[in-house]
Amino acid sequence: MKIGLYFGTFNPIHVGHLIIANHFVEHSDLDQVWCVVTPQSPMKKKQSILDNNQRLEMVYLATKEYPKIKPSAIEFQLKQPNYTIHTLAYLEEKYPEYEFALIMGEDNLVTLPKWKNAELLLERYHIYVYPRKLYSEEKEFRLKGTIHKVNAPVIEISSSFIRTSIKEGKNIRPLLPEAVWVYLDEMNFYK
């Protein structure tokens, strides 16, 4: 089974995340997509990001109707700071029967050479890249055989826009899965 790892803070998860994840399981050779919730970064202000388990709960609520999209808290149990190469090594040891690949936006692909063990990531793992609006910077490493540009929908929704809009009392309900909206509203998050 081939698993696509879609890393993010998911603060909160929104319909754009689901559209991208669903596109990959339906229009690529990936069998499942795991939404890997990244832990609270010591570099981010505590008030700007919800607790790890609250964000994981939202991912669970958002994905429970999609059998090929799964929430993952795998990085919660790993040594901080998290490095993608360490997460992949851990997953390969825990699930030797699975093949793992990365999913990222083309804006993140440009920073990939700065990642820990970037060359090893490029050598050993397939990287599925989705387009970002107004983004066209080309890099030579895109030509490597492990990078696959996928013609996925361009999504212009951001979690920061959602948080700001909630704080301002705007109705952003259509941008969130219904269960996530209910959870955020009940918990009074981002207000």
Side-chain angles (χ1 to χ4, degrees), residues 9-18 50 54-66 71 159 162-163 166 172-191:
T9 54
F10 300 110
N11 186 39
I13 190 169
H14 52 69
V15 295
H17 294 124
L18 290 178
L50 294 178
Q54 292 166 331
R55 292 179 291 117
L56 179 64
E57 177 66 12
M58 288 189 288
V59 173
Y60 166 76
L61 291 169
T63 60
K64 67 182 180 180
E65 304 283 327
Y66 300 88
S159 294
I162 290 170
R163 291 191 306 271
I166 290 172
I172 46 76
R173 193 173 187 162
L175 302 179
L176 299 166
E178 182 65 22
V180 172
W181 167 256
V182 170
Y183 180 73
L184 285 176
D185 195 48
E186 285 176 356
M187 300 297 283
N188 233 3
F189 287 146
Y190 308 122
K191 294 180 181 177

Side-chain angles (χ1 to χ4, degrees), residues 82-131:
N82 293 103
Y83 294 107
T84 302
I85 195 73
H86 295 161
T87 302
L88 285 160
Y90 178 81
L91 286 169
E92 286 177 332
E93 187 175 303
K94 185 169 176 147
Y95 304 103
E97 69 278 17
Y98 293 165
E99 178 185 349
F100 293 97
L102 298 175
I103 296 172
M104 68 177 66
E106 63 186 339
D107 53 333
N108 288 326
L109 182 63
V110 173
T111 67
L112 188 61
K114 297 177 184 174
W115 293 20
K116 184 176 182 79
N117 298 101
E119 283 302 316
L120 188 59
L121 283 171
L122 287 164
E123 276 175 34
R124 294 195 53 203
Y125 300 98
H126 289 270
I127 300 171
Y128 292 78
V129 180
Y130 58 90

Side-chain angles (χ1 to χ4, degrees), residues 31-48:
D31 298 301
Q32 289 184 356
V33 169
W34 292 2
C35 294
V36 181
V37 180
T38 56
Q40 166 74 43
S41 168
M43 305 300 280
K44 290 191 176 183
K45 293 180 186 174
K46 187 68 177 165
Q47 73 264 20
S48 70

